[in-house]
DNA sequence: AGTTGACCTGGAGTGCACTCCAGGTCGTAG
DNA sequence: CTACGACCTGGAGTGCACTCCAGGTCAACT
């Protein structure tokens, strides 16, 4: 199957402008063109875009995604380096998750504090016995 | 205790420039000054900076941090709104963690593929094909 | 007295990742 | 035949979050 740029944008979740941008900066090999010169994205193109958006979500900078894309073009000889990039990225994602987990704990603590304040305002807090609202 | 801007930068993990920048954009109330007019950060200032960096780590935009900072200045009446901001942020952090977890799974899958390729190259697992990266 | 180093100010510059624009070409619908 | 909408190109503009700079003050050391 092949897809117009609008369809590719819809399926990848990227904007049309971003698709052309990714092509310009060589994240994406130039897709085929139809007889009128319009881009015709293949399923392979879409799969690659799907993977790219995953990498992007992990916070990988475009520079590194470009490196990975460029290695891919160099075939099997680059597999080691590509794997190393992914392993490093996995490490950084795991780290980021842990960091976010820590932030979640801080948020929970703060939110609980606000809840305690609400309780206190309602006079329900233990130690304030005899005062019921 | 009070701290020079260099010391505050060291303790908060922010740069000196960023500290002044945060003050300019009203993320941080202007700290006290010493006799020579130099900033003298208090422990409260540092605690607030610590919380700000947590919020930043969660990806909260400066705009929202400013809103939170501004509410804080309006005292207890703004507690409800502040709590709501934090609850919303907690939701978004939890979502982000889940998203990253999904990316981690994709990375693991890809990395495993590379490992399978390595096995194949070593001739340990003949008959395996269809390894695309 | 002079030099050094940390700090000050207002404002300009940077890098990233898009996003938008003007002006033009196609192919189909009315 | 013309109007329309989707697409094309090269290039300019945007928003975010810093980061850097020039030129100046001040206290402490030599």
């Amino acid at each position: 199957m092949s897809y117009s740029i609008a369809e590719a944008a819809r399926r990848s979740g990227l904007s049309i402008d971003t698709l052309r941008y990714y092509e310009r900066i060589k994240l994406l090999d130039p897709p085929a063109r139809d007889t009128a010169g319009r881009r015709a994205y293949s399923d392979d193109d879409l799969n690659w875009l799907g993977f790219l958006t995953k990498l992007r979500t992990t916070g990988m900078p475009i520079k590194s995604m470009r490196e990975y894309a460029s290695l891919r073009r160099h075939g099997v000889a680059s597999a080691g380096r590509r794997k190393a990039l992914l392993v490093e990225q996995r490490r950084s994602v795991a780290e980021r998750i842990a960091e976010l987990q820590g932030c979640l704990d801080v948020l929970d603590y703060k939110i609980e504090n606000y809840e305690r304040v609400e309780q206190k305002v309602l006079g329900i807090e233990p130690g304030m016995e005899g005062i019921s609202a």
Side-chain angles (χ1 to χ4, degrees), chain A:
Chain A
M1 272 300 286
S2 97
Y3 311 93
S4 73
I5 194 166
E7 186 63 12
R10 203 186 60 70
R11 291 187 184 239
S12 65
L14 298 166
S15 75
I16 288 177
D17 274 319
T18 299
L19 287 179
R20 286 195 284 242
Y21 168 63
Y22 279 6
E23 185 182 333
R24 261 199 279 197
I25 65 174
K26 299 193 197 307
L27 267 187
L28 182 61
D29 290 336
R33 298 291 179 125
D34 68 12
T35 50
R38 283 169 303 189
R39 290 170 181 79
Y41 294 87
S42 68
D43 285 308
D44 276 3
D45 291 332
L46 283 222
N47 287 340
W48 172 239
L49 282 171
F51 183 53
L52 275 185
T53 61
K54 288 291 176 196
L55 290 181
R56 181 181 67 163
T57 298
T58 69
M60 182 183 277
I62 280 185
K63 218 171 175 311
S64 308
M65 290 197 273
R66 281 188 60 177
E67 183 182 355
Y68 189 90
S70 142
L71 287 169
R72 226 168 62 108
R73 280 179 219 108
H74 286 81
V76 82
S78 69
R81 177 79 184 117
R82 273 182 282 160
K83 182 186 164 193
L85 276 173
L86 296 191
V87 166
E88 163 59 16
Q89 195 61 15
R90 174 172 63 182
R91 200 200 48 69
S92 115
V93 172
E95 192 176 291
R96 178 118 189 90
I97 288 175
E99 191 179 47
L100 285 178
Q101 195 60 58
C103 291
L104 209 50
D105 294 345
V106 171
L107 285 174
D108 282 339
Y109 175 75
K110 286 271 182 187
I111 290 167
E112 263 172 49
N113 261 352
Y114 279 114
E115 267 151 19
R116 270 197 288 283
V117 170
E118 283 161 13
Q119 294 301 304
K120 199 177 159 197
V121 166
L122 292 171
I124 290 165
E125 175 111 16
M128 302 191 68
E129 66 279 349
I131 306 157
S132 57

